[in-house]
Amino acid sequence: MNNQPIINIEHLKKNFGNLEVLKDIDFEINEQEVVCIIGSSGSGKSTLLRCMNLLEEPTSGVIYFNGKDILLGYNINKLRTEIGMVFQQFNLFNNKTVIDNCMIGQIKVLKMNAKEAKEKAIYYLKKVGMLPFKDAKTRQLSGGQKQRVAIARALCMNPKVLLFDEPTSALDPEMVQEVLEVMKNLAKEGLTMVIVTHEMAFARDVADRVVFMDNGVVVEDDKPDVIFTNPKHERTKTFLNRALKHG
């Protein structure tokens, strides 16, 4: 394992017009670490995630990925294969089959041939339990199945880090578990993951670190047992009391 963090963020700020969404964020992620980001809606969690692979352009600050400042002329397509993203709404091509969804990025972006791309797609679809559906159109799938395909598609790009933006929040409750199960297995295999989530039990069980954000700042960043059993900040306590009551 590298001693240097794989992602290192310093003094990150993001404004949308006059609204300051991220306020001077310092944050780092080490290789093979699973970091869960929790907090209320509007606390800046998703914006922080989207800055990491430049889906949002930071207003100021620096983001280092493997020691390189990604805001200084880093190839954005290369960056988004290395720092992959799984979205809340899946973002699949609905008119294409499951296997085509997993092959298209490999062929277009990674310039792989169709045979290699198909082999890799089959490997990852099997890993997420979706191989039997490889020839189905994605619009025929349930939400949980779509999200598992979206994870397989992201894995096909060989990401060094995988970002998850509330990957279960668009799912019916009975489908949440099947997606979390896949994510748990990826965590066990040592994939570096940053997960914005409102699944508190998952964060407690799977994360190496839990980060609580509120109002555009990182309020607390610690091991799950500290955050969940002995948070230092009143804001964290209030949020968790509310979240665990409804969870």
Side-chain angles (χ1 to χ4, degrees), residues 8-213:
N8 192 12
I9 294 173
E10 294 174 4
H11 302 303
L12 185 72
K13 293 185 180 181
K14 174 64 183 174
N15 297 357
F16 292 106
N18 294 329
L19 182 66
E20 197 178 21
V21 180
L22 296 178
K23 306 167 184 174
D24 200 23
I25 300 266
D26 291 325
F27 184 70
E28 60 183 41
I29 296 135
N30 298 305
E31 267 184 274
Q32 301 192 335
E33 199 170 32
V34 177
V35 179
C36 283
I37 305 177
I38 61 172
S40 306
S41 294
S43 57
K45 310 181 299 291
S46 291
T47 304
L48 173 59
L49 205 66
R50 293 168 71 87
C51 284
M52 287 182 210
N53 68 353
L54 298 187
L55 282 171
E56 296 290 356
E57 183 91 17
T59 304
S60 63
V62 285
I63 302 175
Y64 295 103
F65 171 60
N66 272 338
K68 294 190 181 81
D69 184 350
I70 64 172
L71 300 171
L72 292 177
Y74 203 99
N75 177 324
I76 203 145
N77 288 334
K78 184 172 188 287
L79 178 72
R80 288 190 190 145
T81 62
E82 295 173 325
I83 304 180
M85 173 81 107
V86 174
F87 299 89
Q88 189 174 339
Q89 296 292 352
F90 329 124
N91 289 21
L92 296 169
F93 296 109
N94 276 330
N95 58 336
K96 292 193 182 305
T97 63
V98 163
I99 198 153
D100 284 345
N101 266 280
C102 293
M103 287 171 65
I104 193 166
Q106 298 183 66
I107 292 168
K108 284 204 153 105
V109 181
L110 301 181
K111 308 293 182 216
M112 288 172 74
N113 67 47
K115 182 174 179 289
E116 287 176 309
K118 188 172 187 176
E119 281 170 10
K120 199 191 271 191
I122 286 170
Y123 174 80
Y124 283 114
L125 285 169
K126 192 173 179 182
K127 192 184 263 288
V128 300
M130 286 302 293
L131 190 55
F133 298 88
K134 69 180 172 49
D135 299 317
K137 289 274 200 291
T138 51
R139 63 168 170 266
Q140 299 166 316
L141 304 177
S142 72
Q145 290 170 330
K146 283 181 185 173
Q147 195 57 292
R148 286 188 283 154
V149 172
I151 293 170
R153 178 185 59 178
L155 292 170
C156 281
M157 304 301 281
N158 289 343
K160 296 188 170 71
V161 180
L162 199 46
L163 310 176
F164 291 84
D165 190 8
E166 304 220 11
T168 57
S169 63
L171 302 180
D172 294 333
E174 66 271 19
M175 292 171 190
V176 168
Q177 231 28 60
E178 67 186 61
V179 172
L180 293 180
E181 213 43 56
V182 167
M183 293 167 66
K184 278 180 189 169
N185 291 336
L186 293 174
K188 282 185 199 133
E189 287 173 20
L191 180 66
T192 308
M193 296 157 68
V194 187
I195 304 160
V196 169
T197 186
H198 57 273
E199 299 290 339
M200 295 300 143
F202 174 82
R204 194 165 32 198
D205 296 346
V206 179
D208 298 303
R209 274 166 53 214
V210 173
V211 173
F212 170 63
M213 283 183 72

Side-chain angles (χ1 to χ4, degrees), residues 201-241:
F202 174 82
R204 194 165 32 198
D205 296 346
V206 179
D208 298 303
R209 274 166 53 214
V210 173
V211 173
F212 170 63
M213 283 183 72
D214 188 45
N215 205 14
V217 297
V218 170
V219 176
E220 207 157 338
D221 176 349
D222 218 321
K223 290 187 166 55
D225 52 349
V226 175
I227 296 277
F228 285 104
T229 57
N230 194 15
K232 296 176 183 62
H233 292 266
E234 211 43 61
R235 278 193 287 181
T236 318
K237 284 177 195 160
T238 309
F239 169 77
L240 287 172
N241 283 340

